[in-house]
Coordinates of all heavy atoms in Angstrom, one line a residue:
S1 N 0.8 -1.2 0.0 CA 0.0 0.0 0.0 C 0.8 1.3 0.0 O 0.5 2.2 -0.6 CB -0.9 0.0 1.2 OG -2.0 -0.8 1.1
V2 N 1.9 1.2 0.7 CA 2.7 2.5 0.9 C 3.4 2.9 -0.4 O 3.3 4.1 -0.7 CB 3.8 2.3 2.0 CG1 4.7 3.5 2.2 CG2 3.1 2.0 3.4
L3 N 4.0 2.0 -1.1 CA 4.7 2.3 -2.3 C 3.8 2.9 -3.4 O 4.0 4.0 -3.9 CB 5.5 1.1 -2.8 CG 6.5 1.4 -4.0 CD1 7.5 2.5 -3.7 CD2 7.1 0.2 -4.5
P4 N 2.7 2.2 -3.8 CA 1.8 2.7 -4.8 C 1.2 4.0 -4.4 O 1.0 5.0 -5.2 CB 0.8 1.7 -5.0 CG 1.3 0.4 -4.4 CD 2.3 0.8 -3.4
M5 N 0.9 4.1 -3.1 CA 0.3 5.4 -2.6 C 1.3 6.5 -2.7 O 0.9 7.6 -3.1 CB -0.2 5.2 -1.1 CG -1.0 6.4 -0.7 SD -1.7 6.1 0.9 CE -0.8 7.2 1.9
G6 N 2.5 6.2 -2.3 CA 3.5 7.3 -2.4 C 3.8 7.7 -3.8 O 4.0 8.9 -4.1
I7 N 3.9 6.7 -4.7 CA 4.1 7.1 -6.1 C 2.9 7.9 -6.7 O 3.1 8.9 -7.3 CB 4.3 5.8 -6.9 CG1 5.6 5.1 -6.6 CG2 4.2 6.1 -8.4 CD1 5.8 3.8 -7.2
G8 N 1.7 7.5 -6.4 CA 0.5 8.2 -6.8 C 0.5 9.6 -6.3 O 0.2 10.6 -7.0
Y9 N 0.8 9.8 -5.0 CA 0.8 11.1 -4.3 C 1.9 12.0 -5.0 O 1.7 13.1 -5.3 CB 1.1 10.9 -2.8 CG 1.1 12.2 -2.1 CD1 -0.1 12.8 -1.6 CD2 2.3 12.9 -1.9 CE1 -0.1 14.0 -1.0 CE2 2.3 14.2 -1.2 CZ 1.1 14.7 -0.8 OH 1.1 15.9 -0.1
G10 N 3.1 11.4 -5.2 CA 4.2 12.1 -5.8 C 3.9 12.6 -7.2 O 4.1 13.8 -7.5
L11 N 3.3 11.7 -8.0 CA 3.0 12.1 -9.4 C 1.9 13.1 -9.4 O 2.0 14.1 -10.2 CB 2.6 10.9 -10.2 CG 3.7 9.9 -10.5 CD1 3.1 8.6 -11.2 CD2 4.6 10.5 -11.5
A12 N 0.9 13.0 -8.6 CA -0.2 14.0 -8.6 C 0.3 15.3 -8.1 O -0.1 16.4 -8.6 CB -1.4 13.4 -7.7
S13 N 1.2 15.3 -7.1 CA 1.7 16.6 -6.6 C 2.6 17.2 -7.6 O 2.5 18.5 -7.8 CB 2.6 16.3 -5.3 OG 1.8 15.9 -4.3
S14 N 3.3 16.4 -8.4 CA 4.2 17.0 -9.4 C 3.4 17.6 -10.5 O 3.8 18.5 -11.3 CB 5.2 16.0 -9.9 OG 4.5 15.0 -10.7
L15 N 2.1 17.1 -10.7 CA 1.2 17.7 -11.7 C 0.5 18.9 -11.2 O -0.3 19.5 -12.0 CB 0.3 16.6 -12.2 CG 0.9 15.5 -13.0 CD1 -0.2 14.4 -13.2 CD2 1.5 15.9 -14.3
G16 N 0.7 19.3 -10.0 CA 0.2 20.5 -9.5 C -1.1 20.4 -8.7 O -1.8 21.4 -8.3
L17 N -1.5 19.2 -8.3 CA -2.7 19.0 -7.5 C -2.4 19.3 -6.1 O -1.3 19.2 -5.6 CB -3.2 17.5 -7.6 CG -3.7 17.0 -9.0 CD1 -3.9 15.5 -9.0 CD2 -4.9 17.8 -9.4
N18 N -3.5 19.8 -5.4 CA -3.3 20.1 -3.9 C -3.1 18.8 -3.2 O -3.3 17.7 -3.7 CB -4.4 21.0 -3.4 CG -5.7 20.2 -3.5 OD1 -5.8 19.0 -3.6 ND2 -6.8 21.0 -3.4
W19 N -2.7 18.9 -1.9 CA -2.4 17.7 -1.1 C -3.6 16.8 -0.9 O -3.4 15.6 -0.9 CB -1.7 18.1 0.2 CG -2.7 18.6 1.2 CD1 -3.0 20.0 1.4 CD2 -3.4 17.9 2.2 NE1 -3.9 20.1 2.5 CE2 -4.2 18.9 3.0 CE3 -3.5 16.6 2.5 CZ2 -5.0 18.5 4.0 CZ3 -4.4 16.2 3.6 CH2 -5.1 17.1 4.3
Q20 N -4.8 17.3 -0.8 CA -6.0 16.4 -0.7 C -6.2 15.6 -1.9 O -6.5 14.4 -1.9 CB -7.2 17.2 -0.3 CG -7.2 17.9 1.0 CD -6.8 19.3 1.0 OE1 -6.2 19.8 0.0 NE2 -7.2 20.1 2.0
A21 N -6.1 16.3 -3.1 CA -6.3 15.6 -4.4 C -5.2 14.6 -4.6 O -5.5 13.5 -5.1 CB -6.4 16.6 -5.5
A22 N -4.0 14.9 -4.3 CA -2.9 14.0 -4.5 C -3.0 12.8 -3.5 O -2.7 11.7 -3.9 CB -1.6 14.8 -4.2
L23 N -3.5 13.1 -2.3 CA -3.7 11.9 -1.4 C -4.8 11.0 -1.9 O -4.7 9.8 -1.8 CB -4.1 12.5 0.0 CG -4.2 11.5 1.1 CD1 -2.9 10.7 1.3 CD2 -4.6 12.1 2.4
A24 N -5.8 11.6 -2.5 CA -6.9 10.8 -3.1 C -6.4 9.9 -4.3 O -6.7 8.7 -4.4 CB -8.0 11.7 -3.7
V25 N -5.5 10.5 -5.1 CA -4.9 9.7 -6.2 C -4.0 8.5 -5.6 O -4.1 7.4 -6.0 CB -4.0 10.6 -7.1 CG1 -3.2 9.7 -8.1 CG2 -4.9 11.5 -7.8
G26 N -3.2 8.8 -4.6 CA -2.4 7.8 -3.9 C -3.3 6.7 -3.3 O -3.0 5.5 -3.4
C27 N -4.3 7.1 -2.6 CA -5.2 6.1 -1.9 C -5.9 5.3 -3.0 O -6.2 4.1 -2.7 CB -6.2 6.8 -1.1 SG -5.5 7.5 0.5
A28 N -6.2 5.8 -4.1 CA -6.9 5.0 -5.2 C -6.0 3.9 -5.7 O -6.4 2.9 -6.2 CB -7.3 5.9 -6.3
L29 N -4.7 4.2 -5.6 CA -3.7 3.2 -6.1 C -3.2 2.2 -5.0 O -2.5 1.2 -5.3 CB -2.5 3.9 -6.7 CG -2.7 4.8 -7.9 CD1 -1.5 5.5 -8.3 CD2 -3.2 3.9 -9.1
A30 N -3.7 2.4 -3.8 CA -3.2 1.5 -2.7 C -3.7 0.1 -2.7 O -2.9 -0.8 -2.3 CB -3.5 2.2 -1.4
P31 N -4.9 -0.2 -3.0 CA -5.4 -1.6 -2.9 C -4.6 -2.5 -3.9 O -4.2 -2.2 -5.0 CB -6.9 -1.6 -3.3 CG -7.3 -0.1 -3.2 CD -6.0 0.7 -3.4
T32 N -4.4 -3.8 -3.4 CA -3.8 -4.8 -4.3 C -4.8 -5.5 -5.2 O -6.0 -5.4 -4.9 CB -3.1 -5.9 -3.4 OG1 -4.0 -6.2 -2.4 CG2 -1.8 -5.4 -2.8
S33 N -4.3 -6.1 -6.2 CA -5.2 -6.9 -7.0 C -5.2 -8.4 -6.6 O -4.3 -9.1 -6.9 CB -4.8 -6.8 -8.5 OG -5.6 -7.7 -9.3
M34 N -6.2 -8.7 -5.8 CA -6.3 -10.1 -5.2 C -6.5 -11.1 -6.3 O -5.9 -12.2 -6.3 CB -7.4 -10.1 -4.2 CG -7.6 -11.4 -3.5 SD -6.2 -11.8 -2.4 CE -6.6 -10.7 -1.1
G35 N -7.2 -10.7 -7.3 CA -7.5 -11.7 -8.4 C -6.2 -12.1 -9.2 O -6.0 -13.2 -9.5
I36 N -5.3 -11.1 -9.4 CA -4.1 -11.4 -10.1 C -3.2 -12.3 -9.2 O -2.6 -13.2 -9.6 CB -3.3 -10.1 -10.5 CG1 -4.2 -9.4 -11.6 CG2 -1.9 -10.4 -11.0 CD1 -3.7 -8.0 -12.0
A37 N -3.1 -11.9 -7.9 CA -2.3 -12.7 -7.0 C -2.8 -14.1 -6.9 O -2.0 -15.1 -6.9 CB -2.3 -12.0 -5.6
L38 N -4.1 -14.3 -6.8 CA -4.6 -15.7 -6.7 C -4.3 -16.5 -8.0 O -4.0 -17.6 -7.9 CB -6.1 -15.6 -6.5 CG -6.6 -15.3 -5.1 CD1 -8.1 -15.0 -5.0 CD2 -6.2 -16.4 -4.1
D39 N -4.5 -15.8 -9.1 CA -4.2 -16.5 -10.4 C -2.8 -16.9 -10.5 O -2.5 -18.0 -10.9 CB -4.6 -15.6 -11.6 CG -4.6 -16.3 -12.9 OD1 -5.2 -17.4 -12.9 OD2 -4.1 -15.7 -13.9
V40 N -1.9 -16.0 -10.2 CA -0.4 -16.3 -10.3 C -0.1 -17.4 -9.3 O 0.7 -18.4 -9.7 CB 0.4 -15.0 -10.0 CG1 1.9 -15.4 -9.9 CG2 0.2 -14.0 -11.2
L41 N -0.5 -17.4 -8.1 CA -0.2 -18.4 -7.1 C -0.8 -19.7 -7.5 O -0.2 -20.8 -7.3 CB -0.7 -18.0 -5.7 CG 0.0 -16.8 -5.1 CD1 -0.7 -16.4 -3.8 CD2 1.5 -17.2 -4.8
K42 N -2.0 -19.7 -8.1 CA -2.7 -21.0 -8.5 C -1.9 -21.6 -9.7 O -1.7 -22.8 -9.7 CB -4.1 -20.7 -8.9 CG -4.9 -22.0 -9.2 CD -6.3 -21.7 -9.7 CE -7.2 -21.3 -8.6 NZ -8.6 -21.2 -9.0
K43 N -1.5 -20.8 -10.7 CA -0.8 -21.3 -11.8 C 0.6 -21.8 -11.4 O 1.1 -22.8 -12.0 CB -0.6 -20.2 -12.9 CG -1.9 -20.0 -13.6 CD -1.8 -19.0 -14.7 CE -3.1 -18.8 -15.4 NZ -3.1 -17.9 -16.5
A44 N 1.2 -21.2 -10.4 CA 2.5 -21.7 -9.9 C 2.4 -22.9 -9.0 O 3.4 -23.4 -8.5 CB 3.3 -20.5 -9.2
K45 N 1.1 -23.2 -8.6 CA 0.8 -24.4 -7.7 C 1.4 -24.1 -6.3 O 1.9 -25.1 -5.7 CB 1.3 -25.7 -8.3 CG 0.6 -26.0 -9.6 CD 0.9 -27.3 -10.2 CE 0.1 -27.5 -11.4 NZ 0.6 -28.5 -12.3
V46 N 1.4 -22.9 -5.9 CA 1.8 -22.6 -4.5 C 0.7 -21.9 -3.7 O 1.0 -21.5 -2.6 CB 3.1 -21.7 -4.5 CG1 4.3 -22.4 -5.1 CG2 2.8 -20.4 -5.2
L47 N -0.5 -21.9 -4.2 CA -1.6 -21.3 -3.5 C -1.9 -21.9 -2.2 O -2.1 -21.3 -1.2 CB -2.9 -21.2 -4.4 CG -4.1 -20.6 -3.7 CD1 -3.8 -19.1 -3.4 CD2 -5.3 -20.7 -4.7
N48 N -1.9 -23.2 -2.1 CA -2.2 -24.0 -0.9 C -1.0 -24.3 0.0 O -1.1 -25.2 0.8 CB -3.0 -25.2 -1.2 CG -4.4 -24.9 -1.8 OD1 -5.0 -23.9 -1.3 ND2 -4.8 -25.6 -2.8
T49 N 0.1 -23.7 -0.3 CA 1.3 -23.8 0.6 C 1.3 -22.8 1.6 O 0.6 -21.7 1.5 CB 2.6 -23.8 -0.3 OG1 2.7 -22.4 -0.8 CG2 2.6 -24.8 -1.4
P50 N 2.1 -22.9 2.7 CA 2.2 -21.9 3.7 C 2.7 -20.5 3.1 O 2.2 -19.5 3.5 CB 3.3 -22.4 4.7 CG 3.2 -23.9 4.5 CD 2.8 -24.1 3.1
T51 N 3.6 -20.6 2.1 CA 4.0 -19.3 1.5 C 2.9 -18.7 0.7 O 2.7 -17.4 0.8 CB 5.2 -19.6 0.5 OG1 6.2 -20.2 1.2 CG2 5.7 -18.3 -0.1
G52 N 2.1 -19.4 0.0 CA 1.0 -18.9 -0.8 C -0.1 -18.3 0.2 O -0.6 -17.2 -0.1
Q53 N -0.4 -19.0 1.3 CA -1.3 -18.5 2.2 C -0.8 -17.2 2.9 O -1.6 -16.3 3.2 CB -1.6 -19.6 3.3 CG -2.3 -20.8 2.7 CD -3.7 -20.4 2.1 OE1 -4.5 -19.9 2.8 NE2 -3.9 -20.7 0.8
L54 N 0.5 -17.1 3.1 CA 1.0 -15.9 3.7 C 0.9 -14.7 2.8 O 0.6 -13.6 3.2 CB 2.5 -16.1 4.1 CG 3.2 -15.0 4.7 CD1 2.6 -14.6 6.1 CD2 4.7 -15.3 4.9
I55 N 1.1 -15.0 1.5 CA 1.0 -13.9 0.5 C -0.4 -13.5 0.4 O -0.7 -12.2 0.4 CB 1.5 -14.4 -0.9 CG1 3.0 -14.6 -0.8 CG2 1.1 -13.5 -2.0 CD1 3.6 -15.3 -2.0
I56 N -1.4 -14.4 0.4 CA -2.8 -14.0 0.4 C -3.2 -13.2 1.6 O -3.9 -12.2 1.6 CB -3.7 -15.2 0.2 CG1 -3.4 -15.8 -1.2 CG2 -5.2 -14.9 0.3 CD1 -3.7 -14.9 -2.4
A57 N -2.7 -13.7 2.8 CA -3.1 -13.0 4.0 C -2.5 -11.6 4.0 O -3.2 -10.6 4.5 CB -2.5 -13.8 5.2
A58 N -1.3 -11.4 3.5 CA -0.7 -10.1 3.4 C -1.5 -9.2 2.5 O -1.7 -8.0 2.7 CB 0.8 -10.2 3.0
A59 N -1.9 -9.8 1.4 CA -2.7 -9.0 0.4 C -4.1 -8.6 1.0 O -4.5 -7.4 0.8 CB -2.9 -9.8 -0.9
V60 N -4.7 -9.4 1.8 CA -5.9 -9.1 2.4 C -5.7 -8.0 3.4 O -6.4 -7.0 3.5 CB -6.6 -10.3 3.1 CG1 -7.7 -9.9 4.0 CG2 -7.1 -11.3 2.1
L61 N -4.6 -8.1 4.2 CA -4.3 -7.0 5.2 C -4.0 -5.7 4.5 O -4.4 -4.7 4.9 CB -3.2 -7.5 6.1 CG -2.7 -6.5 7.2 CD1 -3.9 -6.3 8.2 CD2 -1.5 -7.0 7.9
D62 N -3.3 -5.8 3.4 CA -3.0 -4.6 2.6 C -4.3 -3.9 2.1 O -4.4 -2.7 2.1 CB -2.1 -5.0 1.4 CG -1.6 -3.8 0.7 OD1 -1.0 -2.9 1.3 OD2 -1.8 -3.7 -0.6
D63 N -5.2 -4.7 1.7 CA -6.5 -4.2 1.2 C -7.3 -3.6 2.3 O -8.0 -2.5 2.2 CB -7.4 -5.2 0.5 CG -6.8 -5.6 -0.9 OD1 -6.0 -4.8 -1.4 OD2 -7.3 -6.5 -1.5
V64 N -7.2 -4.2 3.5 CA -7.9 -3.6 4.7 C -7.3 -2.2 5.0 O -8.0 -1.3 5.3 CB -7.9 -4.5 5.9 CG1 -8.3 -3.9 7.2 CG2 -8.7 -5.8 5.6
I65 N -6.0 -2.1 5.0 CA -5.3 -0.9 5.2 C -5.7 0.2 4.2 O -6.0 1.3 4.5 CB -3.8 -1.1 5.3 CG1 -3.4 -1.9 6.5 CG2 -3.1 0.3 5.2 CD1 -2.0 -2.4 6.5
A66 N -5.8 -0.3 2.9 CA -6.3 0.7 1.9 C -7.7 1.2 2.1 O -8.0 2.4 1.9 CB -6.2 0.0 0.5
L67 N -8.6 0.3 2.6 CA -9.9 0.7 3.0 C -9.9 1.7 4.1 O -10.7 2.7 4.1 CB -10.8 -0.5 3.3 CG -11.2 -1.4 2.1 CD1 -11.9 -2.6 2.6 CD2 -12.0 -0.6 1.1
V68 N -9.1 1.5 5.1 CA -9.0 2.5 6.2 C -8.5 3.8 5.7 O -9.0 4.9 6.1 CB -8.0 1.9 7.3 CG1 -7.7 3.0 8.3 CG2 -8.6 0.7 8.0
L69 N -7.5 3.8 4.8 CA -7.0 5.0 4.2 C -8.1 5.8 3.4 O -8.2 7.0 3.5 CB -5.8 4.8 3.3 CG -4.5 4.4 3.9 CD1 -3.5 3.9 2.9 CD2 -4.0 5.5 4.7
L70 N -8.9 5.0 2.7 CA -10.0 5.7 2.0 C -11.1 6.2 2.9 O -11.6 7.3 2.6 CB -10.6 4.7 1.0 CG -9.8 4.3 -0.2 CD1 -10.4 3.1 -1.0 CD2 -9.5 5.5 -1.1
A71 N -11.3 5.6 4.0 CA -12.3 6.1 5.0 C -11.7 7.4 5.6 O -12.5 8.3 5.8 CB -12.6 5.0 6.1
M72 N -10.5 7.4 5.9 CA -9.8 8.6 6.5 C -9.8 9.7 5.5 O -10.0 10.9 5.8 CB -8.5 8.3 7.0 CG -8.5 7.4 8.2 SD -6.8 7.0 8.9 CE -6.4 8.6 9.5
L73 N -9.6 9.4 4.2 CA -9.6 10.4 3.2 C -11.0 11.0 3.0 O -11.2 12.2 2.9 CB -9.2 9.7 1.8 CG -9.2 10.6 0.6 CD1 -8.1 11.7 0.8 CD2 -9.0 9.8 -0.6
Q74 N -12.1 10.2 3.2 CA -13.4 10.7 3.2 C -13.6 11.7 4.3 O -14.3 12.7 4.2 CB -14.4 9.6 3.2 CG -15.9 10.0 3.1 CD -16.8 8.9 3.2 OE1 -16.5 7.8 3.6 NE2 -18.0 9.1 2.8
A75 N -13.1 11.3 5.5 CA -13.3 12.2 6.7 C -12.5 13.5 6.5 O -13.0 14.6 6.8 CB -12.8 11.5 7.9
I76 N -11.3 13.4 5.8 CA -10.6 14.7 5.5 C -11.3 15.5 4.6 O -11.4 16.7 4.7 CB -9.2 14.3 5.0 CG1 -8.3 13.7 6.1 CG2 -8.5 15.5 4.4 CD1 -7.0 13.1 5.5
G77 N -12.0 14.9 3.6 CA -12.7 15.6 2.6 C -13.9 16.4 3.1 O -14.3 17.4 2.6
R78 N -14.5 15.9 4.2 CA -15.6 16.5 4.8 C -15.2 17.7 5.7 O -16.0 18.5 6.1 CB -16.4 15.6 5.7 CG -17.3 14.7 4.9 CD -18.2 13.9 5.8 NE -17.8 12.5 5.7 CZ -17.6 11.6 6.7 NH1 -17.8 12.0 7.9 NH2 -17.2 10.4 6.5
G79 N -13.8 17.8 5.9 CA -13.3 18.9 6.7 C -13.8 18.8 8.2 O -14.0 19.8 8.8
T80 N -13.9 17.6 8.7 CA -14.4 17.4 10.1 C -13.3 17.5 11.1 O -12.1 17.7 10.7 CB -15.1 16.0 10.2 OG1 -14.1 15.0 9.8 CG2 -16.3 15.9 9.3
S81 N -13.6 17.4 12.3 CA -12.6 17.5 13.4 C -11.7 16.3 13.5 O -11.9 15.3 12.8 CB -13.4 17.7 14.7 OG -14.0 16.5 15.0
M82 N -10.7 16.4 14.3 CA -9.7 15.3 14.5 C -10.4 14.1 15.0 O -10.1 12.9 14.7 CB -8.6 15.7 15.4 CG -7.5 14.7 15.6 SD -6.7 14.2 14.0 CE -5.5 15.4 13.9
V83 N -11.4 14.2 15.9 CA -12.1 13.1 16.4 C -12.8 12.3 15.3 O -12.8 11.1 15.3 CB -13.2 13.6 17.5 CG1 -14.0 12.4 18.0 CG2 -12.4 14.2 18.7
M84 N -13.5 13.0 14.4 CA -14.2 12.4 13.3 C -13.2 11.7 12.4 O -13.5 10.7 11.7 CB -15.0 13.4 12.5 CG -16.2 13.9 13.3 SD -17.3 12.6 14.0 CE -18.0 12.0 12.5
L85 N -12.0 12.2 12.3 CA -10.9 11.6 11.5 C -10.4 10.3 12.2 O -10.1 9.3 11.5 CB -9.8 12.6 11.3 CG -8.6 12.1 10.5 CD1 -9.0 11.9 9.0 CD2 -7.5 13.1 10.5
L86 N -10.4 10.3 13.5 CA -9.9 9.1 14.2 C -10.9 8.0 14.3 O -10.5 6.8 14.6 CB -9.4 9.5 15.6 CG -8.1 10.4 15.5 CD1 -7.8 10.8 17.0 CD2 -7.0 9.7 14.9
I87 N -12.2 8.3 14.1 CA -13.2 7.2 14.2 C -13.0 6.1 13.3 O -13.0 4.9 13.7 CB -14.6 7.8 14.1 CG1 -14.9 8.6 15.4 CG2 -15.7 6.7 13.9 CD1 -16.2 9.3 15.4
P88 N -12.8 6.3 12.0 CA -12.5 5.2 11.1 C -11.3 4.4 11.5 O -11.3 3.2 11.4 CB -12.3 5.8 9.7 CG -12.9 7.2 9.8 CD -12.8 7.6 11.2
L89 N -10.3 5.1 11.9 CA -9.0 4.4 12.3 C -9.3 3.5 13.5 O -8.9 2.4 13.6 CB -7.9 5.5 12.6 CG -6.5 4.9 12.9 CD1 -6.0 4.2 11.6 CD2 -5.6 6.1 13.2
G90 N -9.9 4.1 14.6 CA -10.2 3.3 15.8 C -11.1 2.1 15.5 O -10.9 1.0 16.0
S91 N -12.2 2.4 14.8 CA -13.1 1.3 14.5 C -12.4 0.2 13.7 O -12.7 -1.0 13.8 CB -14.4 1.8 13.8 OG -14.1 2.4 12.6
S92 N -11.5 0.5 12.8 CA -10.8 -0.5 12.0 C -9.9 -1.3 12.8 O -9.9 -2.5 12.7 CB -10.0 0.2 10.9 OG -10.8 0.9 10.0
F93 N -9.2 -0.7 13.8 CA -8.3 -1.4 14.7 C -9.2 -2.3 15.6 O -8.8 -3.5 15.9 CB -7.4 -0.5 15.5 CG -6.2 -0.1 14.7 CD1 -6.0 1.3 14.5 CD2 -5.3 -1.0 14.3 CE1 -4.9 1.7 13.7 CE2 -4.2 -0.5 13.6 CZ -4.0 0.8 13.3
A94 N -10.3 -1.8 16.0 CA -11.2 -2.7 16.9 C -11.7 -3.9 16.1 O -11.7 -5.0 16.6 CB -12.3 -1.8 17.4
L95 N -12.1 -3.7 14.9 CA -12.6 -4.8 14.0 C -11.5 -5.8 13.8 O -11.7 -7.0 13.8 CB -13.1 -4.2 12.7 CG -13.7 -5.3 11.8 CD1 -14.9 -6.0 12.5 CD2 -14.2 -4.6 10.5
M96 N -10.3 -5.3 13.5 CA -9.1 -6.2 13.3 C -8.8 -7.0 14.6 O -8.6 -8.2 14.5 CB -7.9 -5.4 12.8 CG -8.0 -4.9 11.4 SD -8.0 -6.2 10.2 CE -6.3 -6.8 10.3
G97 N -8.9 -6.3 15.7 CA -8.7 -7.0 17.0 C -9.7 -8.1 17.2 O -9.4 -9.2 17.7
L98 N -11.0 -7.8 16.9 CA -12.0 -8.7 17.1 C -11.8 -9.9 16.2 O -12.0 -11.1 16.6 CB -13.4 -8.1 16.8 CG -14.6 -8.9 16.9 CD1 -14.8 -9.4 18.3 CD2 -15.8 -8.2 16.4
A99 N -11.4 -9.7 14.9 CA -11.2 -10.8 14.0 C -10.0 -11.7 14.4 O -10.1 -12.9 14.4 CB -10.9 -10.2 12.6
V100 N -9.0 -11.1 15.0 CA -7.9 -11.9 15.4 C -8.3 -12.7 16.7 O -7.9 -13.9 16.8 CB -6.6 -11.0 15.8 CG1 -5.6 -11.7 16.5 CG2 -6.1 -10.4 14.5
A101 N -9.0 -12.1 17.6 CA -9.5 -12.8 18.8 C -10.4 -14.0 18.4 O -10.3 -15.1 18.9 CB -10.2 -11.9 19.7
M102 N -11.3 -13.7 17.4 CA -12.1 -14.8 17.0 C -11.4 -15.9 16.3 O -11.6 -17.1 16.5 CB -13.2 -14.3 16.1 CG -14.3 -13.5 16.8 SD -15.6 -13.0 15.7 CE -16.4 -14.6 15.4
A103 N -10.4 -15.6 15.5 CA -9.6 -16.6 14.8 C -8.7 -17.4 15.8 O -8.5 -18.6 15.6 CB -8.6 -15.9 13.8
A104 N -8.3 -16.7 16.9 CA -7.4 -17.4 17.9 C -8.2 -18.2 18.9 O -7.7 -19.3 19.3 CB -6.5 -16.4 18.6
Y105 N -9.4 -17.7 19.3 CA -10.1 -18.4 20.4 C -11.4 -19.1 20.0 O -11.7 -20.1 20.5 CB -10.3 -17.3 21.5 CG -9.1 -16.7 22.0 CD1 -8.7 -15.4 21.8 CD2 -8.2 -17.5 22.8 CE1 -7.6 -14.9 22.3 CE2 -7.0 -17.0 23.3 CZ -6.7 -15.6 23.0 OH -5.5 -15.1 23.5
V106 N -12.1 -18.5 19.1 CA -13.5 -19.0 18.8 C -13.4 -20.1 17.8 O -14.0 -21.2 17.9 CB -14.4 -17.9 18.4 CG1 -15.8 -18.4 18.0 CG2 -14.6 -16.9 19.5
M107 N -12.7 -19.8 16.7 CA -12.6 -20.8 15.6 C -12.0 -22.1 16.0 O -12.5 -23.2 15.5 CB -11.9 -20.2 14.4 CG -12.7 -19.1 13.7 SD -14.4 -19.5 13.2 CE -14.1 -20.7 12.0
P108 N -11.0 -22.2 16.8 CA -10.4 -23.5 17.2 C -11.5 -24.3 17.9 O -11.6 -25.6 17.7 CB -9.2 -23.2 18.1 CG -8.8 -21.9 17.6 CD -10.0 -21.1 17.2
K109 N -12.3 -23.7 18.7 CA -13.3 -24.4 19.5 C -14.4 -24.9 18.5 O -15.0 -26.0 18.7 CB -13.9 -23.5 20.6 CG -12.9 -23.2 21.7 CD -13.5 -22.3 22.7 CE -12.4 -22.0 23.8 NZ -12.8 -21.0 24.7
L110 N -14.8 -24.1 17.5 CA -15.8 -24.5 16.6 C -15.3 -25.6 15.7 O -16.1 -26.5 15.3 CB -16.2 -23.3 15.8 CG -17.0 -22.2 16.5 CD1 -17.3 -21.1 15.6 CD2 -18.3 -22.8 17.0
T111 N -14.1 -25.6 15.3 CA -13.5 -26.7 14.4 C -13.2 -28.0 15.1 O -13.0 -29.0 14.4 CB -12.3 -26.1 13.6 OG1 -11.3 -25.7 14.6 CG2 -12.7 -25.0 12.7
K112 N -13.1 -28.0 16.4 CA -12.9 -29.2 17.1 C -14.0 -30.2 17.1 O -13.8 -31.4 17.2 CB -12.5 -28.9 18.6 CG -11.1 -28.6 18.9 CD -10.9 -28.5 20.3 CE -9.4 -28.3 20.6 NZ -9.1 -28.2 22.0
R113 N -15.2 -29.7 16.9 CA -16.4 -30.6 16.9 C -16.4 -31.5 15.8 O -16.2 -31.9 15.0 CB -17.7 -29.7 16.9 CG -17.8 -28.9 18.1 CD -19.1 -28.1 17.9 NE -19.1 -27.0 18.8 CZ -20.1 -26.1 18.9 NH1 -21.2 -26.3 18.2 NH2 -20.1 -25.1 19.7

């Protein structure tokens, strides 16, 4: 997410866009292409290996980060207070924490049956 976002921001800034518009361009380039990653890993026959699963997990996390960035960008665009800017960030971290807790504690109990 960081590299494409930085490149998009830099290019947009060099074209004379203000920082909000340049940030929007960068955020638009941040999400990964899960379809391409899945296709490449499947053709290489490494999708169901630990390495392939790690790549997919990293791509999902990267997309979640991109969604958080887009939510924050929307809050910036509304010109709201710092509290309103932090709400998407806080709720995203809370959701990620809940997902990790469920994966670590709830899912093992459900799959034992």
Side-chain angles (χ1 to χ4, degrees):
S1 282
V2 175
L3 185 62
M5 190 174 110
I7 291 171
Y9 182 85
L11 287 174
S13 293
S14 69
L15 292 174
L17 294 173
N18 63 20
W19 71 270
Q20 292 100 335
L23 187 60
V25 170
C27 287
L29 296 175
T32 44
S33 175
M34 184 67 73
I36 293 173
L38 284 170
D39 190 45
V40 168
L41 292 171
K42 187 185 281 186
K43 286 183 180 179
K45 296 183 178 159
V46 294
L47 180 60
N48 293 324
T49 65
T51 302
Q53 294 298 303
L54 181 64
I55 292 169
I56 294 302
V60 168
L61 183 62
D62 188 55
D63 285 348
V64 169
I65 291 169
L67 289 173
V68 171
L69 289 172
L70 290 170
M72 291 181 71
L73 180 66
Q74 183 182 16
I76 290 170
R78 282 188 248 137
T80 57
S81 67
M82 183 60 86
V83 173
M84 293 304 291
L85 181 63
L86 293 177
I87 287 174
L89 187 61
S91 60
S92 299
F93 280 117
L95 183 62
M96 288 293 287
L98 179 64
V100 168
M102 286 187 68
Y105 300 110
V106 176
M107 290 308 292
K109 291 177 182 173
L110 291 176
T111 56
K112 273 188 178 180
R113 295 183 200 180

